[in-house]
Amino acid sequence: MAQPGAVEDGHLAEALDWTESLGVDCRIPVRPDFGEPGAVEDLLNQRGYRRTACLTMFVRGSAPPDLPVSPGIEVEELTEECEGFSDFIAAGYGMEWTGLGFFIGLPGRRDWRSYMAIDDEGAIASATMMRHHEVAQLGFAGTEEAARGRGAHLALLRRRIVDAFTGGAREIFAVTEEPLGYPDGKSTGARNLVRAGFRLASVRTVWQPPEELLADQDEEEDELEDDEFDEDGLDDDHDFELS
């Protein structure tokens, strides 16, 4: 919500009306130092939206990081679809299976680089990076829950920074979602970025729809599922029977 006139000209209200009509659980980042942050927050408050997190951006040059090699973990770059790659990322972001489609096609895709972290028992984590001219963005990453704390994220972070440097990037940035108490509380990903030489560049407050709106959406979905099929498991819009 950094565009000047977003509130005064009614654009934000129109966007909220549209997303609410679709039943979308959206995220609205608000920059405190640009555009109309006060007016944006007033409108969001009036409509019952709530602060839920902070969206932070970290940046650094592309020089190789002063990070140790994670013992017992190897990082491989993927050039084609690989089993498990998308599962780690989707789980890391708490996404349902419907979100897997986007990640599955990333290995080998133009401007994207995809990686898998492997220990002696097999794959345990995956991550992505996107290149645009001389800038690289560290993208999605996720680690198997049972393998967290073993250094997989650091290994993937180190490899991506090194590859960005050797590939000609001059700058690297990453975006993380942090607790509302940031910087007093940092995610593991943010702590690893700082450890790898990244510095904080910006912080935006993230807003979400009111809980009662989301509850209404869940009830509508449940009603739709109950009404869509009859006792025989056939769509109500059809009168045929299976033999």
Side-chain angles (χ1 to χ4, degrees):
M1 291 297 106
Q3 183 67 34
V7 177
E8 182 178 352
D9 297 337
H11 302 312
L12 176 57
E14 292 176 1
L16 294 176
D17 289 340
W18 179 63
T19 55
E20 291 172 8
S21 71
L22 297 174
V24 175
D25 182 10
C26 61
R27 303 292 191 275
I28 304 172
V30 179
R31 284 184 58 176
D33 57 347
F34 193 82
E36 310 167 281
V40 169
E41 294 189 351
D42 286 344
L43 178 58
L44 293 173
N45 271 318
Q46 292 170 12
R47 297 182 69 127
Y49 282 67
R50 56 212 160 87
R51 293 181 179 90
T52 56
C54 293
L55 205 62
T56 62
M57 178 182 292
F58 292 87
V59 299
R60 79 185 299 279
S62 62
D66 184 19
L67 287 176
V69 175
S70 300
I73 297 177
E74 295 184 2
V75 176
E76 295 183 0
E77 182 173 2
L78 307 176
T79 57
E80 58 184 19
E81 183 179 330
C82 179
E83 182 178 357
F85 169 79
S86 57
D87 296 332
F88 296 134
I89 297 177
Y93 286 88
M95 301 180 67
E96 298 180 355
W97 66 269
T98 51
L100 295 178
F102 174 77
F103 302 120
I104 289 174
L106 289 185
R109 186 174 180 179
R110 181 181 175 183
D111 296 330
W112 286 84
R113 300 184 72 168
S114 303
Y115 303 87
M116 190 87 85
I118 302 169
D119 66 6
D120 56 359
E121 296 182 358
I124 57 173
S126 54
T128 64
M129 177 172 66
M130 184 173 65
R131 282 285 310 278
H132 184 69
H133 299 297
E134 295 182 337
V135 177
Q137 177 183 0
L138 302 185
F140 310 100
T143 303
E144 183 180 42
E145 185 173 0
R148 290 173 186 170
R150 300 183 193 171
H153 184 269
L154 274 177
L156 289 164
L157 178 58
R158 184 180 187 279
R159 172 65 182 271
R160 286 180 290 170
I161 296 174
V162 170
D163 283 1
F165 174 73
T166 57
R170 299 182 62 182
E171 288 188 320
I172 309 172
F173 75 96
V175 177
T176 69
E177 187 171 286
E178 302 299 315
L180 276 176
Y182 185 88
D184 294 331
K186 294 186 181 71
S187 67
T188 300
R191 291 196 298 270
N192 285 340
L193 289 170
V194 172
R195 184 178 176 184
F198 284 81
R199 59 179 178 81
L200 181 65
S202 67
V203 179
R204 291 176 287 173
T205 304
V206 177
W207 295 66
Q208 282 184 254
E211 294 181 348
E212 55 268 25
L213 178 61
L214 300 181
D216 290 342
Q217 294 167 7
D218 291 339
E219 290 177 2
E220 290 177 2
E221 291 177 0
D222 291 341
E223 290 176 1
L224 179 61
E225 290 176 358
D226 292 340
D227 296 341
E228 187 174 2
F229 299 99
D230 62 19
E231 292 180 356
D232 295 325
L234 298 179
D235 192 315
D236 288 339
D237 291 337
H238 298 85
D239 57 5
F240 60 83
E241 293 184 0
L242 298 179
S243 60

